[in-house]
C-alpha cells in the first residue's frame, strides 16, 4: 500500500490514527463490511450524528494552545489535604515506570501481562501485607472511595448474621460517603453516621449505635481532620461483639508509623496509597487488604507467586472474582480495571524510601504539622489545632473571621487552604510545602 511521503499521519492529522483511506478500505474489504459503522451496534438513541468541531492540529500548535490554557490557572502554593497528599516523588519513579516494559496499550491486569510487571504488583501487595499485618492485599482499586464501597459490599456478603447498617464517622470526606452510597444503591443497606468527639470517634456514642443489625463499622486513622485515632482496639472490640466487620481507612505513609491494623482488630483496610504520584490532579490509588478468611470475597485481582514447569519462580494472576471471569452470581464485584501502573509507581516509591525512609517521612509529617500548628496558634484571631490530639500532616484551625473570607484572602496572597466550616480552615503540610510554612503564617497574620 502506498503512503503519503510525509507519513500516514499527514492524512489523518494524528500519529495515533495512522491508517490511510486506502488502508481502511482494504481492511473493511477483508472483513466484508462496507463501512466502519457496520462494525459497531450503536443504538440510535445514543448515536452522535453531529460534527465534533475539532480541527486537526500539529503537535507544536497544540502544545502552544494547551500552554496558553494552563496559564489561566491560579499559581497557588497549596496547603490542601483531606485525602489528597503531596509527597515528593523521586525522578527514579518517573524514569523506571516510563520504561517500555511497563507502558503498554494492553491491559496490565490480564494473565498474559509480563512477568516483570506481575512481580512488581506482587511486591506492591507484599508491601501492603507488611504495613497492615493482614494476610491478603489485592493489586489495587481506583481510589479510597471505591475501596470503601467494595469493603461494604464484602461485609454484606460475608457477615455470618443478617444486617444492613453501615456505620461511618460523621466527619468523613464527602466524596467517600457519596461513592459508598452509590455502591449500596439497589441493596437494603443503609449508611448511617456515628458522632465524633474532638476529632476522633465518640466511643460511647458508637457503642450505643451498634447492634446485631450492623454489618460494618468504618473508622479512619488518621481521621479526615488529620487527628490520630487513639481507641482503635476498642472500636475493633465493639465491632467484634456484634459480629460487624471492622474496616479501617488509612494510607501507606501513615501506616508506617501508626498501630498495625491487624493488631487492633481490623478486618479490612482501605485507603489511598499517597505514594508514587503526589496529588497528581486528583488521581488516586485505592488500597485494599483483609483477613485471609475473606480471600474469596476480595474484589479485583490478586497476583500470586508460584513455579513454572522448570522449577523457576513465576508470577500469575491467581484470583479474579469479577463477573467477566467467573459466573455472574458468584462474582464479588463488577469493578473492571484497576490502577496497576499507579500501584507499580507506589511500589517503586516505597522501595526507594525503604522501611526507615518511610518511617522518617511519616515522622516528618507529624513534626511539620505540630510545628505549623504552634506557629499559627500564636497569631491573633487563630486557634490551632482545634482538636487537642496528635496530628499527622494536617490540622483544623479556628478563625475569628469567616473561614471562607480567610480562604479567599489567602488565595489572593498565593496560598490555598480548605474552609471546612463557618470558622474552621484546614491546613496540610508535608515535605513538599514546609519551606513555605513561614510565608503562609505571615499571610495569615495579615488576613486572620
Amino acid at each position: 500500500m502506498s503512503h503519503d511521503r510525509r507519513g500516514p499521519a499527514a492524512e489523518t492529522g494524528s500519529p495515533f490514527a495512522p491508517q490511510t483511506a486506502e488502508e481502511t478500505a482494504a481492511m473493511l474489504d477483508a472483513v466484508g463490511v462496507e463501512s466502519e459503522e457496520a462494525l459497531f451496534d450503536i443504538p440510535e438513541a445514543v448515536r452522535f450524528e453531529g460534527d465534533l468541531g475539532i480541527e486537526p492540529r500539529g503537535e507544536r500548535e497544540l502544545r502552544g494552545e494547551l500552554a496558553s490554557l494552563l496559564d489561566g490557572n491560579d499559581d497557588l502554593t497549596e496547603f490542601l489535604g483531606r485525602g489528597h497528599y503531596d509527597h515528593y516523588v523521586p525522578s527514579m519513579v518517573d524514569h523506571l515506570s516510563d520504561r517500555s516494559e511497563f507502558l503498554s496499550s494492553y491491559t496490565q491486569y490480564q494473565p498474559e501481562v509480563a512477568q516483570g510487571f506481575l512481580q512488581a504488583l506482587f511486591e506492591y501487595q507484599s508491601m501492603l501485607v507488611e504495613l497492615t499485618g493482614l494476610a491478603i492485599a489485592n493489586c489495587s482499586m481506583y481510589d479510597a472511595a471505591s475501596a470503601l464501597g467494595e469493603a461494604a459490599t464484602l461485609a454484606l456478603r460475608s457477615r455470618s448474621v443478617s444486617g444492613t447498617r453501615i456505620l461511618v464517622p460523621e466527619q468523613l470526606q464527602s466524596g467517600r460517603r457519596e461513592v459508598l452510597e452509590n455502591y449500596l444503591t439497589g441493596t437494603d443497606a443503609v449508611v448511617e453516621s456515628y458522632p465524633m468527639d474532638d476529632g476522633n470517634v465518640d466511643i460511647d456514642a458508637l457503642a450505643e449505635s451498634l447492634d446485631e443489625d450492623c454489618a460494618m463499622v468504618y473508622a479512619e486513622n488518621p481521621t479526615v481532620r488529620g487527628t490520630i485515632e487513639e481507641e482503635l482496639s476498642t472500636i475493633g472490640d465493639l465491632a467484634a461483639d456484634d459480629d460487624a466487620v471492622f474496616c479501617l481507612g488509612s494510607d501507606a505513609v501513615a501506616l508506617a508509623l501508626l498501630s498495625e491494623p491487624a493488631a487492633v482488630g481490623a478486618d479490612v483496610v482501605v485507603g489511598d496509597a499517597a505514594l508514587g504520584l503526589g496529588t497528581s490532579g486528583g488521581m488516586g490509588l485505592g488500597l485494599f487488604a483483609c483477613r485471609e478468611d475473606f480471600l474469596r470475597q476480595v474484589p479485583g485481582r490478586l497476583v500470586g507467586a508460584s513455579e513454572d514447569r522448570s522449577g523457576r519462580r513465576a508470577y500469575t494472576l491467581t484470583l479474579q472474582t469479577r463477573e467477566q471471569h467467573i459466573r455472574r452470581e458468584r462474582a464479588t464485584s463488577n469493578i473492571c480495571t484497576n490502577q496497576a501502573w499507579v500501584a507499580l509507581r507506589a511500589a517503586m516509591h516505597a522501595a526507594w524510601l525503604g522501611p526507615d525512609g518511610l518511617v522518617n517521612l511519616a515522622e516528618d509529617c507529624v513534626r511539620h504539622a505540630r510545628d505549623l500548628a504552634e506557629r499559627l496558634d500564636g497569631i491573633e484571631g487563630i486557634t490551632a489545632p482545634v482538636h487537642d490530639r496528635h496530628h499527622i500532616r494536617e490540622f483544623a484551625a479556628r478563625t475569628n473571621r469567616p473561614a471562607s473570607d480567610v480562604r479567599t484572602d489567602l488565595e489572593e496572597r498565593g496560598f490555598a487552604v480548605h474552609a471546612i466550616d463557618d470558622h474552621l480552615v484546614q491546613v496540610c503540610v508535608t515535605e513538599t510545602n514546609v519551606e513555605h510554612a513561614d510565608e503562609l503564617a505571615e499571610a495569615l497574620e495579615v488576613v486572620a
Side-chain angles (χ1 to χ4, degrees):
M1 298 179 185
S2 64
H3 286 298
D4 187 300
R5 294 183 62 186
R6 295 167 297 171
E11 291 188 17
T12 64
S14 169
F16 305 108
Q19 291 79 23
T20 65
E22 289 177 330
E23 290 170 333
T24 301
M27 286 188 284
L28 293 174
D29 184 60
V31 297
V33 297
E34 294 183 355
S35 68
E36 291 174 81
E37 288 186 349
L39 297 172
F40 304 97
D41 182 18
I42 304 174
E44 289 293 335
V46 298
R47 186 185 291 263
F48 177 68
E49 301 287 357
D51 184 351
L52 291 173
I54 302 175
E55 295 297 326
R57 294 170 175 81
E59 179 178 311
R60 184 177 178 182
E61 183 184 9
L62 185 60
R63 281 178 176 270
E65 285 189 31
L66 290 175
S68 176
L69 186 65
L70 292 173
D71 282 344
N73 288 340
D74 290 331
D75 185 16
L76 302 177
T77 301
E78 295 183 1
F79 284 83
L80 303 171
R82 295 177 67 82
H84 296 282
Y85 304 114
D86 190 25
H87 290 294
Y88 174 72
V89 180
S91 62
M92 176 276 295
V93 173
D94 292 332
H95 288 293
L96 290 182
S97 63
D98 282 351
R99 287 179 62 92
S100 59
E101 297 94 321
F102 299 125
L103 281 181
S104 168
S105 58
Y106 192 66
T107 50
Q108 295 156 325
Y109 49 83
Q110 303 286 12
E112 301 85 355
V113 68
Q115 282 291 298
F117 209 122
L118 287 172
Q119 180 180 355
L121 294 177
F122 184 81
E123 301 291 350
Y124 163 80
Q125 293 175 179
S126 301
M127 175 189 76
L128 286 187
V129 166
E130 190 167 350
L131 287 172
T132 62
L134 297 169
I136 305 295
N138 76 5
C139 56
S140 81
M141 313 296 290
Y142 299 140
D143 51 25
S146 61
L148 175 58
E150 295 288 350
T153 56
L154 179 149
L156 295 171
R157 288 193 304 272
S158 59
R159 190 172 177 249
S160 60
V161 296
S162 62
T164 57
R165 299 169 62 220
I166 306 294
L167 298 184
V168 300
E170 65 176 358
Q171 292 166 356
L172 179 65
Q173 193 185 103
S174 59
R176 293 185 185 178
R177 174 150 186 158
E178 290 164 3
V179 171
L180 173 62
E181 290 175 341
N182 276 338
Y183 257 86
L184 299 177
T185 299
T187 73
D188 295 332
V190 293
V191 180
E192 298 178 4
S193 298
Y194 59 80
M196 306 290 282
D197 178 19
D198 196 26
N200 284 12
V201 175
D202 185 330
I203 295 297
D204 292 337
L206 175 62
E208 292 179 6
S209 300
L210 274 161
D211 58 28
E212 61 180 16
D213 196 36
C214 180
M216 187 179 90
V217 176
Y218 176 64
E220 295 184 332
N221 192 33
T223 68
V224 70
R225 296 281 180 91
T227 61
I228 295 174
E229 182 60 61
E230 300 167 0
E231 300 287 345
L232 289 175
S233 293
T234 305
I235 298 169
D237 291 341
L238 288 172
D241 288 345
D242 282 300
D243 196 30
V245 170
F246 175 27
C247 178
L248 180 63
S250 192
D251 65 81
V253 176
L255 286 173
L257 190 62
L258 303 178
S259 298
E260 189 178 76
V264 296
D267 300 298
V268 181
V269 171
V270 299
D272 260 312
L275 289 174
L277 276 178
T279 50
S280 69
M283 178 182 286
L285 166 62
L287 312 180
F288 194 100
C290 64
R291 291 193 287 111
E292 190 164 7
D293 301 3
F294 297 147
L295 173 62
R296 294 278 173 188
Q297 302 295 332
V298 175
R301 301 156 183 82
L302 296 180
V303 176
S306 183
E307 291 183 348
D308 65 11
R309 294 173 61 184
S310 303
R312 295 175 300 185
R313 191 169 179 81
Y315 299 91
T316 183
L317 284 175
T318 306
L319 189 69
Q320 300 184 86
T321 56
R322 64 171 178 154
E323 60 189 23
Q324 184 177 333
H325 295 91
I326 62 176
R327 285 181 294 175
R328 176 175 293 182
E329 62 270 22
R330 298 192 63 184
T332 61
S333 169
N334 64 359
I335 195 164
C336 186
T337 58
N338 65 347
Q339 300 282 66
W341 188 72
V342 188
L344 167 81
R345 291 178 61 95
M348 288 176 171
H349 193 173
W352 181 79
L353 286 166
D356 291 340
L358 201 55
V359 171
N360 292 339
L361 175 59
E363 289 177 339
D364 285 346
C365 290
V366 172
R367 180 168 54 84
H368 294 329
R370 182 184 61 232
D371 292 349
L372 182 56
E374 289 177 359
R375 175 80 165 81
L376 300 190
D377 195 48
I379 299 173
E380 186 174 351
I382 299 282
T383 303
V386 169
H387 304 297
D388 185 20
R389 307 283 188 184
H390 296 290
H391 291 72
I392 181 169
R393 294 195 194 95
E394 55 192 333
F395 56 89
R398 189 174 305 283
T399 59
N400 287 350
R401 291 184 63 212
S404 57
D405 292 350
V406 172
R407 178 188 60 191
T408 300
D409 289 348
L410 282 176
E411 287 177 354
E412 292 177 355
R413 292 175 181 274
F415 301 96
V417 301
H418 288 290
I420 59 173
D421 203 341
D422 290 346
H423 289 277
L424 288 182
V425 296
Q426 189 157 328
V427 179
C428 178
V429 57
T430 69
E431 76 279 10
T432 63
N433 63 357
V434 66
E435 65 189 50
H436 300 291
D438 284 342
E439 298 165 25
L440 173 70
E442 290 167 3
L444 273 168
E445 286 176 348
V446 176
V447 306

